[in-house]
Amino acid sequence: MTDQVGRTVVITGGSRGIGRAICLSLAGPDTDIYFNYYPEDPAAEETEKLVADMGGKAVGVCGNVASEEDMTAFFKKIIDETGRVDVLVNNAGITRDGLLVRMKEKDWDDVLTINLKGAFICTKLASKIMMKQRSGRIINTSSVVGVTGNAGQANYSASKAGLIGLTKTVAKELAPRGITVNAVAPGFIESDMTADLPEKARNAMLEQIPLGRAGQPEDVAGVVAFLVSDTASYLTGQVIHVSGGMFI
């Protein structure tokens, strides 16, 4: 039961953008929210304050999701303070865009390491806790380009496609323990990641959206809130597109 009193929620990449919106959508007096950010980010304090203003509690911890040492310490802190993990949202992600023929190996490695390996490490750590509880919700933030592909984003598209495969596989492995695993696949969402797009690229993206507008972080957060609720207890292994119709 994820709507129970005293639930613990863990969100990676929670200091701003979609991650912050997810923190706020799940905030409440009976919920302890822990989020990570990396590198140091002054926006983390603002996220904590916004959650507190809603009557909730949020604790931000600086740590690299791709470091098993950092994440082991992160989850140990959570268990020491709350004794459980009810929800994990693997939201941390970066981009290093460029055409494949010009892409540096480091740009490939950095994106796959943060976006995919980070989710693997956090899922592994959270799963061990949830299996003992025989309950839990895991949500992975993929992307519409993980299904459609996108020129100039071979690394990012590959990492998000990998998250879909991870979601479906882990859903099968953890279902017998009462744990569901799903993914959201955002399309063009207004965020720091998309704010610097040239106007031409932005307009071209908007033309691909049947609803004719960019999405907001809250659009994604609302779907995550549904997936971690008891209402969605019979959903697992699914990918829900939040893209205004970019992928139908």
Side-chain angles (χ1 to χ4, degrees):
M1 298 285 288
T2 56
D3 288 337
Q4 64 190 4
V5 171
R7 74 174 177 175
T8 300
V9 175
V10 182
I11 301 164
T12 69
S15 62
R16 60 178 70 229
I18 292 174
R20 173 183 285 179
I22 294 171
C23 286
L24 295 176
S25 74
L26 302 181
D30 299 319
T31 300
D32 291 320
I33 293 176
Y34 289 80
F35 67 92
N36 94 297
Y37 54 95
Y38 187 81
E40 290 287 350
D41 186 357
E45 290 187 13
E46 179 67 13
T47 299
E48 292 178 344
K49 181 180 182 301
L50 288 169
V51 171
D53 289 344
M54 297 177 66
K57 171 192 171 186
V59 178
V61 177
C62 183
N64 185 352
V65 291
S67 165
E68 189 162 4
E69 181 180 1
D70 282 5
M71 290 302 99
T72 297
F74 181 45
F75 277 90
K76 183 179 185 302
K77 172 182 175 64
I78 295 166
I79 288 299
D80 287 347
E81 294 180 4
T82 74
R84 61 187 301 110
V85 172
D86 299 289
V87 175
L88 167 66
V89 183
N90 287 309
N91 174 71
I94 62 170
T95 57
R96 298 287 186 271
D97 295 349
L99 293 175
L100 177 67
V101 294
R102 299 174 186 168
M103 186 172 290
K104 297 177 181 178
E105 185 176 349
K106 185 177 187 305
D107 290 339
W108 174 273
D109 289 345
D110 286 350
V111 171
L112 270 291
T113 297
I114 296 295
N115 298 7
L116 188 54
K117 181 183 176 182
F120 157 72
I121 289 173
C122 291
T123 299
K124 183 178 178 181
L125 291 168
S127 293
K128 292 178 180 179
I129 299 165
M130 292 177 177
M131 287 173 72
K132 293 178 182 178
Q133 299 169 177
R134 302 193 71 86
S135 67
R137 299 277 190 272
I138 298 174
I139 311 297
N140 295 319
T141 302
S142 181
S143 169
V144 65
V145 303
V147 178
T148 65
N150 193 36
Q153 289 193 308
N155 48 3
Y156 187 75
S157 297
S159 72
K160 295 303 185 176
L163 275 176
I164 291 173
L166 179 67
T167 297
K168 292 179 178 293
T169 298
V170 179
K172 291 183 177 182
E173 292 183 2
L174 297 182
R177 296 297 184 99
I179 302 163
T180 66
V181 187
N182 293 288
V184 290
F188 184 32
I189 305 297
E190 298 281 12
S191 67
D192 291 347
M193 195 176 284
T194 60
D196 295 331
L197 277 176
E199 185 176 357
K200 183 178 179 180
R202 180 185 180 85
N203 290 336
M205 189 74 73
L206 289 173
E207 288 176 0
Q208 301 177 45
I209 304 173
L211 285 182
R213 64 174 178 85
Q216 299 299 317
E218 291 76 16
D219 293 320
V220 181
V223 176
V224 172
F226 164 69
L227 288 172
V228 306
S229 72
D230 287 345
T231 306
S233 63
Y234 201 54
L235 271 175
T236 195
Q238 303 305 303
V239 182
I240 299 180
H241 289 261
V242 190
S243 64
M246 284 182 72
F247 177 79
I248 296 177

